[in-house]
Amino acid sequence: MNGPDRYEAYDGDDGREEKGNRRDGSGIRDESGEGGPVFGSPSRPTGSAGPGGPEGPDTPRRGEAPESGHPPRIPMPRVSVEDSGLPLPEPATLGEPAPPPAPPVFEHAVLKSLLGAWALAACSAEEATAVEEHLGGCGVCADEARRLREAVGLLQRPESLDLNPGLRTRVLQTCLERRPPHIPVPDWAAAYDAETARLDALLQDFGDAEWHAPVRLRWFRSDESTSRRTTVAGVIAHLLSVDGLVAVALGLDDPLGDVPSRHPTPAARTEAFWRASRFPPTRFLRTPWREQSHNLVRTVSFTGGGAGKTAVSYGDFELPLHDAMLDRAFECWVHAEDIADAVDYPYAPPSPRHLHRMIDLAARMLPTALAHRRRVGLASPAHHRHLVAAGEPGRSLRLEIEGSGGGEWLIPLDSPAAKGSAEHEVAHVALDGVEFCRLAAGHVPPQEAAAGQVGDKEAITAVLFAAASLSRM
């Protein structure tokens, strides 16, 4: 239905014929009066001349609005602003940012009151900027700000992300107090158990670059510092070879196997192991070294305290098993520090209880080392040397070790069999515990040891050099 306010499309022919149009027999109209399709336009069936119905002279063209005022069904293309003839807007007015607000102005009294908040980093950005600009020109406020910053540093001390080295010992001790083990680890083997576990934790996340990082082993020989260059994996091979001396003494397998060694000394065994390796040592040495350390702790635990007197041969000398396990713990810690230095990683000293046992072992070995140096001519006999019977008190040096794990030891100077005596004390030496251990490891020359000295200078020098001679590869 069509009306003045309604426009309907025709879906078919209603039998009427538009004025000025003629239809041919095919049902296709041709405005030129001839039948056939119109070139340049598609053929359309009769009665469907276009989307709006039959097309006539009064029918609006495509895109034009009808006379009734309705908008066209197909909108016209938009006209560009350049084709409209209108003036173009200025480029500066397109998206120009608003000018920044003026910074706030603070008086001197206000800025001085903000110094505490500024030191705690509690100011806003504008206030912090104003305070910092003010500090550049006001010396009184600058001094006050410096003191406040130092006070804040005392209140918030930076803490290391590494765990406390004594945490493992405390946790294990608490656990063992609540449920004692059926087969406990002997006290003299606990230090070795702890130090091998710490070193294994350090090696856990090492990549190929860390395993091949260069490490320089240092020790003291013939009054001179010497060194040997290797890698992190080479250090583990060294520990594996020397720990094998304890394994052989306990009846366990020798890690060298059939590899021949010229001498049964730690250095000779290490060199033999390095030479027998087809390729440079790699990360794969960690597994056999850790398994051997577990076997050693397990074996000494099952054998009980009676096995502590078993002799362990180092080639040139022997040590009881309980001292040999402390010696291996000491060397494990020293070489773990070498590895940590090579990869630039912090490494803490042992727990005070274990450190005290290591210092005690070195102090007990000093009289024998001092006598050996005199026999081979590295130390001249003391002018006031006085030989006494075995077990009798003689001239002594008081060795005072400060810090955690420290204590005092009286070192007999004239004979290893003599007894240290406070009445016959001729010298006094004070050293830090870690410094003394590094001296005994050959990492600190005796001349550079930070030691407090009182008394016989010759005796002090002899003891310091004897401590350094305890080191070996």
Side-chain angles (χ1 to χ4, degrees):
M1 176 178 179
N2 292 335
D5 297 329
R6 188 174 181 86
Y7 185 78
E8 294 183 356
Y10 290 92
D11 294 335
D13 192 358
D14 60 352
R16 294 181 297 177
E17 199 168 347
E18 299 289 339
K19 183 180 180 180
N21 292 339
R22 182 173 59 85
R23 301 180 182 275
D24 55 11
S26 62
I28 304 299
R29 63 180 176 80
D30 184 359
E31 295 181 358
S32 63
E34 298 180 358
V38 179
F39 293 100
S41 62
S43 300
R44 286 177 288 203
T46 303
S48 58
E55 189 176 347
D58 298 331
T59 304
R61 294 186 179 181
R62 183 182 182 91
E64 295 181 355
E67 295 178 357
S68 59
H70 290 279
R73 300 186 63 189
I74 301 177
M76 294 293 292
R78 290 180 295 178
V79 180
S80 175
V81 67
E82 289 86 353
D83 299 335
S84 64
L86 299 175
L88 299 179
E90 295 295 334
T93 62
L94 297 177
E96 182 178 0
V105 178
F106 298 95
E107 297 181 358
H108 179 272
V110 176
L111 293 172
K112 186 175 181 179
S113 65
L114 290 175
L115 292 179
W118 174 82
L120 293 170
C123 290
S124 64
E126 294 80 4
E127 293 172 344
T129 302
V131 170
E132 291 170 359
E133 292 179 354
H134 177 68
L135 295 179
C138 181
V140 176
C141 290
D143 293 339
E144 181 67 17
R146 178 180 57 81
R147 287 192 294 269
L148 290 173
R149 271 289 172 90
E150 292 175 354
V152 170
L154 295 176
L155 294 174
Q156 301 177 354
R157 291 189 177 184
E159 296 183 0
S160 174
L161 296 179
D162 294 327
L163 296 177
N164 189 330
L167 178 62
R168 179 179 183 272
T169 302
R170 293 198 301 268
V171 171
L172 290 177
Q173 185 176 0
T174 303
C175 295
L176 294 177
E177 288 176 355
R178 295 196 175 191
R179 181 177 295 180
H182 294 291
I183 304 175
V185 177
D187 291 340
W188 42 266
Y192 176 78
D193 185 25
E195 292 308 311
T196 52
R198 290 208 304 149
L199 176 55
D200 184 59
L202 175 64
L203 302 174
Q204 183 175 2
D205 297 328
F206 275 18
D208 292 337
E210 287 82 6
W211 279 100
H212 295 289
V215 179
R216 187 166 293 278
L217 301 179
R218 296 170 292 167
W219 67 97
F220 196 76
R221 181 174 60 187
S222 300
D223 290 350
E224 293 182 359
S225 297
T226 184
S227 62
R228 179 73 157 78
R229 189 176 183 275
T230 183
T231 62
V232 171
V235 175
I236 301 303
H238 168 61
L239 292 175
L240 177 67
S241 304
V242 185
D243 286 355
L245 294 172
V246 183
V248 171
L250 293 173
L252 301 177
D253 294 336
D254 190 350
L256 267 65
D258 298 333
V259 176
S261 176
R262 297 177 182 177
H263 304 285
T265 60
R269 285 173 59 87
T270 301
E271 294 288 353
F273 190 91
W274 285 345
R275 288 194 304 268
S277 300
R278 184 176 179 182
F279 300 102
T282 61
R283 64 166 67 238
F284 297 104
L285 284 173
R286 178 191 171 197
T287 299
W289 167 75
R290 195 65 178 117
E291 289 179 354
Q292 178 177 258
S293 65
H294 285 157
N295 291 335
L296 291 177
V297 175
R298 186 183 303 111
T299 302
V300 298
S301 300
F302 275 105
T303 54
K309 297 181 180 179
T310 303
V312 178
S313 174
Y314 281 76
D316 299 335
F317 61 94
E318 290 184 352
L319 286 177
L321 179 59
H322 60 270
D323 285 346
M325 293 296 287
L326 282 174
D327 172 76
R328 302 313 308 140
F330 175 78
E331 187 168 359
C332 183
W333 163 48
V334 170
H335 289 321
E337 279 197 339
D338 294 336
I339 293 174
D341 291 341
V343 298
D344 195 18
Y345 193 86
Y347 201 81
S351 63
R353 182 178 57 144
H354 296 160
L355 185 62
H356 178 81
R357 288 180 174 271
M358 297 175 190
I359 295 172
D360 178 71
L361 173 63
R364 289 188 284 110
M365 296 175 66
L366 279 177
T368 304
L370 184 57
H372 174 73
R373 287 177 54 82
R374 289 199 181 106
R375 285 197 303 268
V376 298
L378 295 177
S380 58
H383 298 293
H384 306 287
R385 187 178 182 187
H386 179 66
L387 297 178
V388 296
E392 294 295 327
R395 290 190 325 125
S396 304
L397 177 142
R398 183 180 297 274
L399 176 63
E400 180 182 355
I401 303 300
E402 302 172 343
S404 58
E408 289 188 357
W409 289 263
L410 290 171
I411 311 300
L413 298 173
D414 298 331
S415 173
K419 181 181 178 180
S421 173
E423 298 178 357
H424 298 79
E425 180 181 329
V426 297
H428 186 184
V429 175
L431 276 164
D432 177 72
V434 176
E435 181 79 4
F436 175 75
C437 289
R438 288 174 178 165
L439 172 65
H443 287 193
V444 177
Q447 304 90 337
E448 300 178 7
Q453 307 175 6
V454 176
D456 190 341
K457 299 296 183 181
E458 185 178 355
I460 293 173
T461 302
V463 169
L464 293 178
F465 272 84
S469 68
L470 295 175
S471 63
R472 60 180 180 275
M473 179 179 173

